[in-house]
Amino acid sequence: MKNITSDDTARRYRAQVSILGTTQIHLRNPYIVAWWSAAFPGFGHLLLSKYLRGYVLFIWEVVINLKAHVNLGMIYSFQGRIGEAKAILDTRWLLIYIPVYLFAIWDSYRTTIDMNKIYYLADKENHRYSTFDMGSLEINYMDKRKPFLSVIWSMFMPGLGQLYIHRIATAFFIIVWTVVFFFQSHELEAIQLLFMGDVAGSTKVLDEEWLLFFPSIYGFSIFDSYMNTVENNKLFKQEQKQFLKDNYQNKHFVVKKGSILE
């Protein structure tokens, strides 16, 4: 059940509230989006709420990265073991990896510029959209939330910040893959051994190749949840302002501040 049923008369909408989350178009910095695609292909598209493309690129990155041993090559390079880094890389998979990696960066940058243009047009059109959606399994509505709480929950476990702001699709995807990374890297086992004072055992049990995925997924989860909380709050304030104006403001009221009538 929605509080406003779309009549599909608008050419462009600024937002959509559904039981899976609040999707909106807002201004984004194309360089930041491209940077996240460079950090991990798929993240830039997830920031743009282009989920299917983001999921495909993310899974591609994980599979091809492991096949080409890109993470291991990076670890050996950081340690100054250049010869071992060259030996470990599988060029058959690496040559497949490079074109898609460059495409993810280029496509996210291009799409961000296009969506910024669409935002200006949708903002001018200012068409109404649903702000409340309730189904048999879930309920979602626009309201204000605290950005710092999104950050805190994302630091505890990637994906929880997205759950806090009701980005269900992104939250589910991130949580599932975080569990996979935890299991394959043996990080929790290493932390347990470290608390027990077994530093050597803790280091030995870690799988470095899987462990290197964590900085990207933690960083993205924190940034995405914070940024979307801020933008959702802006959208909520904007919708409230328009609602009060349409229903309570006197139609003869004229704002003179900043006009030639002032």
Side-chain angles (χ1 to χ4, degrees):
M1 294 182 290
K2 298 178 179 290
N3 57 348
I4 297 175
T5 302
S6 173
D7 52 11
D8 295 326
T9 58
R11 293 192 65 191
R12 301 167 184 88
Y13 292 90
R14 283 182 303 183
Q16 179 187 11
V17 174
S18 69
I19 60 174
L20 292 179
T22 301
T23 304
Q24 63 167 305
I25 299 175
H26 58 83
L27 293 178
R28 296 175 173 90
N29 188 325
Y31 293 104
I32 292 178
V33 176
W35 186 89
W36 277 110
S37 291
F40 206 108
F43 281 166
H45 291 84
L46 290 179
L47 287 174
L48 299 173
S49 297
K50 299 184 75 67
Y51 299 113
L52 295 180
R53 198 176 305 186
Y55 295 161
V56 169
L57 290 171
F58 182 97
I59 295 173
W60 174 276
E61 164 68 17
V62 173
V63 174
I64 305 302
N65 187 308
L66 293 173
K67 292 293 185 180
H69 304 296
V70 174
N71 281 355
L72 277 180
M74 292 172 60
I75 292 171
Y76 291 158
S77 297
F78 294 155
Q79 295 173 345
R81 300 153 64 183
I82 306 301
E84 294 181 61
K86 292 180 179 179
I88 199 66
L89 290 174
D90 190 328
T91 55
R92 294 175 302 171
W93 289 99
L94 188 63
L95 293 177
I96 300 175
Y97 177 88
I98 294 173
V100 179
Y101 180 81
L102 295 176
F103 169 81
I105 299 172
W106 171 82
D107 187 64
S108 62
Y109 178 87
R110 174 197 63 82
T111 304
T112 305
I113 294 176
D114 288 344
M115 291 182 67
N116 285 344
K117 295 176 181 178
I118 293 173
Y119 167 79
Y120 284 118
L121 296 174
D123 188 57
K124 290 292 184 183
E125 192 169 353
N126 196 26
H127 200 278
R128 298 184 69 194
Y129 50 86
S130 174
T131 59
F132 180 92
D133 191 10
M134 181 169 61
S136 58
L137 296 177
E138 190 60 87
I139 179 172
N140 185 27
Y141 49 88
M142 288 179 55
D143 66 341
K144 293 187 68 175
R145 294 181 172 91
K146 298 180 180 180
F148 82 93
L149 285 180
S150 299
V151 172
I152 294 300
W153 284 117
S154 295
M155 291 174 65
F156 281 136
M157 175 74 175
L160 294 184
Q162 281 73 17
L163 277 181
Y164 171 63
I165 59 174
H166 205 96
R167 284 172 60 83
I168 303 298
T170 303
F172 178 79
F173 187 81
I174 291 177
I175 289 174
V176 168
W177 276 102
T178 301
V179 171
V180 172
F181 294 158
F182 270 122
F183 182 81
Q184 294 292 343
S185 67
H186 303 279
E187 182 177 357
L188 297 181
E189 185 179 351
I191 293 174
Q192 180 183 2
L193 291 173
L194 186 63
F195 285 156
M196 296 171 63
D198 187 0
V199 179
S202 175
T203 305
K204 185 178 180 180
V205 78
L206 280 174
D207 189 318
E208 299 171 331
E209 195 167 19
W210 285 93
L211 186 67
L212 205 58
F213 287 124
F214 274 106
S216 297
I217 200 165
Y218 261 97
F220 170 78
S221 179
I222 292 170
F223 177 82
D224 177 76
S225 61
Y226 178 86
M227 182 268 297
N228 277 287
T229 305
V230 172
E231 294 299 332
N232 285 353
N233 289 345
K234 292 179 182 178
L235 189 68
F236 173 78
K237 291 174 63 177
Q238 190 177 37
E239 192 278 332
Q240 286 287 296
K241 178 181 177 181
Q242 188 65 42
F243 174 79
L244 295 173
K245 179 179 178 181
D246 293 341
N247 294 276
Y248 295 98
Q249 181 173 297
N250 191 302
K251 64 180 179 179
H252 301 296
F253 177 76
V254 178
V255 178
K256 295 183 179 181
K257 183 176 179 59
S259 68
I260 60 174
L261 299 177
E262 186 178 11

